[in-house]
Amino acid sequence: MSIIELATAMPKAGGDYYFIGRTFGPLMGTVTRTLSWFSLSLKTAFAVFGLSEILFLITGISPVVWGLSLSLIFVGLNLLGVEGAANLEVVLVTGLIAVMGGFVLFGAPRVDFERFRSFFTSGVNGMLFTAAFVFVSFGGLLQAATIAEEVKDPQKSLRQGTFLTVGVVTLLYMSIVTVTTGLLDGAEFRESLTPVADAAAVILGRPGRIILSTAASLTFITTALAGLMSASRYPLALARDGLLPRFLSVVFRKNGTPGPSIILTGILAAVGLQLNLDLLVKSASAVFMITCILDNIAVIVLRVSRLSNYKSLFIAPFYPWLQALSILLYLFFLADMGREAFAIALGFVSLSLLIFHLYGRHRVQHDFALVHLLKRVVDARWRDEGLEKELLGIITMRDRVPIDSIPCIDLDDSVVLLDDLWRRIAQDLSPNIKVSTETLEYALREREGQYSTALTPFTVIPHVVLDGDTRQFAVSCYRSRAGLRFSESAPAVHALFACAGTDNLRHLHLEALAAIARFVEQPEFENLWEWAEWLKKNCPRRGRY
């Protein structure tokens, strides 16, 4: 419930990383994102482990060999592209639900409730230990928060979707465990590596065992595919934010997959296979629970702070008792799983802090400097007290504005003076924002007259905010080979990004400015820009540049 409240209050891409980063600062945000990466990677390793054991029972080939081979296969499938893996996921999950539903339906009438005697032989503590042990199974159910920004109706969709998903999965888990327990003797259940398949054999004999073994394989395949797909996006985002080496942000152009990030995550999952099953599951659950603890603390901190802009569309009930109870339960689960799992979780936290120390500190300083730079060129009517925080929040997240997809226009010799530039920009943007060319040209001229929009000596971002409620916004990019002078003392400008929009699209306007600023502040920007000029002039058939 705390995650739903945070997601509807801050429907931004990144999920836990965004919530906790905005509450506790970039340090804890980095720790959270890194922990989520480790948790999903270990969950992927758990799925590969389970599938390896099934294949070992069938073929006799060592689970170690199967584990490494399957890791390579799943990495390869993810490298081929998200669309193919996602389509395969839909087919596999549909078949899995159908098979497990049939298992519950046909097995329920044959359940022997006498087998449920002495259900709590290990006491309540044993039950809680088991709950902590399997907690990682629910880790993927809350990942909808990571795409909250893309949800059209977060109040309804996130709340209903999360409750429905958790409810259906919990009901399915309980039904399967109930049927399996009611069909197998205690000793048989305890010693079996494939208890659900053994229970299916009681119902349908050998065909039932084969069907459920296949379903179990489908479960592990879908978990491994989805886990690797989701986990690999975390190092990609960390690298884009400057918190990991830049090569991890490389995306293959052919299929749009983050190749280095997928490979690194696959390696991490393969390393996780070297842990024994108990420690693997405990570690994954422990890491995930630490993130949940931070989510609940974030709700308490945000409510106590009484921030005027914290307006969640869903309010978690029983505050603060629900959050306090959840935190205590998670801490109990962590302590109950033993020292090894807790030590591994703390090791991951320490590694996250090390990553921030090596990479994150410098990136945060750069982002904050960029905030001041942007604040200087932003329209005067937006210079309120909250602008600095708003810009910092936008810059420290992944850019939503696809700068590389904005068409770049070469200015010819007819554009020499600034009046020529304003006229050209107005002609290009006015059809998109539904204002007259004369109105936009006048606004651009007046805006530059107030104070310069030069972001760097090489780049300017002429932008205007227009009155009206039409909710229009447009961006265009220009390249001047000869260079344009915005003042006698300033050097010639070669890169221009023009923005125009109405006041009611303030956030989109600021996001565009932040994305452009981060883009042009890259050390290699000017060299790449001039290289693109040479490439177009000398190799006109090379396509986009």
Side-chain angles (χ1 to χ4, degrees):
M1 289 186 182
S2 293
I3 292 178
I4 299 174
E5 175 175 328
L6 292 169
T8 55
M10 295 175 279
K12 292 291 182 181
D16 292 336
Y17 167 70
Y18 187 87
F19 312 147
I20 296 173
R22 292 301 166 272
T23 306
F24 302 107
L27 171 61
M28 292 307 300
T30 301
V31 170
T32 302
R33 181 173 281 186
T34 310
L35 288 177
S36 297
W37 175 32
F38 291 148
S39 177
L40 285 174
S41 298
L42 291 175
K43 185 176 180 180
T44 301
F46 169 61
V48 174
F49 187 101
L51 187 57
S52 300
E53 290 294 332
I54 292 176
L55 292 174
F56 166 68
L57 293 176
I58 297 174
T59 64
I61 299 176
S62 170
V64 176
V65 175
W66 275 118
L68 295 176
S69 301
L70 289 170
S71 297
L72 290 174
I73 292 173
F74 289 130
V75 167
L77 288 173
N78 272 272
L79 288 175
L80 291 177
V82 173
E83 184 176 356
N87 291 335
L88 180 60
E89 282 280 305
V90 172
V91 174
L92 294 179
V93 170
T94 302
L96 175 63
I97 292 177
V99 171
M100 301 314 296
F103 170 75
V104 173
L105 182 64
F106 290 102
R110 304 186 60 172
V111 168
D112 182 4
F113 288 98
E114 291 295 320
R115 301 183 190 277
F116 288 89
R117 292 181 179 274
S118 303
F119 191 70
F120 287 96
T121 54
S122 298
V124 175
N125 187 59
M127 182 189 70
L128 294 176
F129 173 82
T130 304
F133 185 81
V134 301
F135 192 77
V136 70
S137 301
F138 291 85
L141 303 182
L142 302 177
Q143 291 304 307
T146 63
I147 58 169
E149 189 171 308
E150 303 170 47
V151 177
K152 293 183 178 179
D153 185 0
Q155 179 181 17
K156 180 179 178 181
S157 301
L158 287 176
R159 183 181 71 249
Q160 294 183 355
T162 304
F163 282 135
L164 182 62
T165 303
V166 173
V168 169
V169 171
T170 302
L171 181 61
L172 190 61
Y173 280 2
M174 292 176 59
S175 301
I176 293 172
V177 171
T178 300
V179 171
T180 304
T181 304
L183 293 177
L184 298 179
D185 291 328
E188 184 181 2
F189 199 163
R190 183 172 57 253
E191 300 297 330
S192 176
L193 292 176
T194 56
V196 180
D198 293 341
V202 175
I203 304 172
L204 296 176
R206 182 175 175 79
R209 183 185 299 276
I210 294 175
I211 293 172
L212 263 294
S213 296
T214 303
S217 301
L218 293 178
T219 303
F220 290 128
I221 292 173
T222 56
T223 302
L225 270 177
L228 185 58
M229 186 188 306
S230 300
S232 62
R233 271 53 183 179
Y234 283 103
L236 169 67
L238 286 166
R240 283 179 171 174
D241 285 348
L243 300 170
L244 284 178
R246 188 171 294 277
F247 76 90
L248 289 172
S249 66
V250 173
V251 176
F252 294 159
R253 293 184 178 180
K254 184 176 181 180
N255 48 26
T257 56
S261 181
I262 291 174
I263 294 172
L264 178 62
T265 304
I267 294 173
L268 181 59
V271 171
L273 289 172
Q274 309 312 309
L275 302 173
N276 63 57
L277 179 59
D278 284 355
L279 191 56
L280 173 61
V281 178
K282 289 178 182 178
S283 301
S285 294
V287 172
F288 179 56
M289 280 188 281
I290 290 176
T291 304
C292 291
I293 289 174
L294 293 175
D295 285 329
N296 282 279
I297 295 176
V299 170
I300 296 175
V301 172
L302 288 169
R303 289 210 195 178
V304 170
S305 63
R306 299 184 183 276
L307 295 176
S308 59
N309 59 348
Y310 180 71
K311 297 178 181 178
S312 180
L313 300 177
F314 171 81
I315 304 299
F318 310 115
Y319 168 86
W321 309 112
L322 178 64
Q323 287 73 28
L325 179 60
S326 298
I327 293 170
L328 290 175
L329 281 175
Y330 290 138
L331 290 174
F332 177 80
F333 286 161
L334 286 170
D336 207 35
M337 284 193 296
R339 295 180 179 178
E340 288 184 332
F342 193 67
I344 290 177
L346 288 180
F348 283 141
V349 172
S350 301
L351 183 57
S352 303
L353 294 173
L354 181 62
I355 290 173
F356 181 82
H357 176 75
L358 294 176
Y359 294 96
R361 289 187 308 161
H362 310 295
R363 185 61 180 176
V364 169
Q365 292 171 357
H366 169 74
D367 281 341
F368 199 76
L370 201 59
V371 167
H372 289 292
L373 192 62
L374 273 174
K375 189 177 180 180
R376 177 172 57 81
V377 301
V378 166
D379 192 279
R381 74 181 76 178
W382 286 350
R383 294 190 173 193
D384 51 53
E385 294 180 357
L387 176 61
E388 189 171 287
K389 292 183 179 179
E390 186 175 1
L391 287 172
L392 181 60
I394 291 172
I395 287 175
T396 52
M397 292 301 297
R398 287 179 55 184
D399 303 323
R400 290 201 311 169
V401 181
I403 296 300
D404 56 350
S405 67
I406 297 174
C408 187
I409 302 169
D410 273 321
L411 298 175
D412 54 32
D413 296 337
S414 64
V415 181
V416 179
L417 303 175
L418 290 185
D419 286 341
D420 301 325
L421 176 65
W422 308 141
R423 188 177 303 110
R424 176 58 189 273
I425 293 174
Q427 291 171 353
D428 293 336
L429 294 184
S430 59
N432 297 325
I433 60 175
K434 300 177 182 179
V435 299
S436 67
T437 303
E438 293 76 16
T439 300
L440 184 54
E441 181 181 348
Y442 176 81
L444 287 165
R445 186 182 297 108
E446 289 295 307
R447 172 66 178 81
E448 191 65 25
Q450 295 172 2
Y451 44 86
S452 175
T453 57
L455 190 67
T456 70
F458 191 87
T459 308
V460 296
I461 313 179
H463 61 99
V464 292
V465 180
L466 303 171
D467 295 325
D469 55 358
T470 56
R471 297 186 66 81
Q472 301 295 323
F473 180 78
V475 183
S476 62
C477 169
Y478 301 91
R479 175 170 33 229
S480 175
R481 296 180 181 179
L484 288 169
R485 290 192 177 275
F486 278 61
S487 69
E488 294 182 0
S489 59
V493 171
H494 296 274
L496 303 96
F497 295 84
C499 309
T502 51
D503 185 71
N504 49 20
L505 288 181
R506 164 184 170 131
H507 198 268
L508 181 59
H509 199 122
L510 292 177
E511 281 183 347
L513 295 179
I516 294 169
R518 172 172 283 182
F519 180 67
V520 303
E521 280 285 292
Q522 295 177 9
E524 66 274 21
F525 171 72
E526 293 184 16
N527 290 332
L528 291 174
W529 190 267
E530 295 184 0
W531 163 256
E533 289 185 19
W534 182 92
L535 185 63
K536 182 181 180 183
K537 180 179 178 181
N538 296 278
C539 307
R541 295 186 180 182
R542 289 290 297 273
R544 294 187 64 180
Y545 55 94

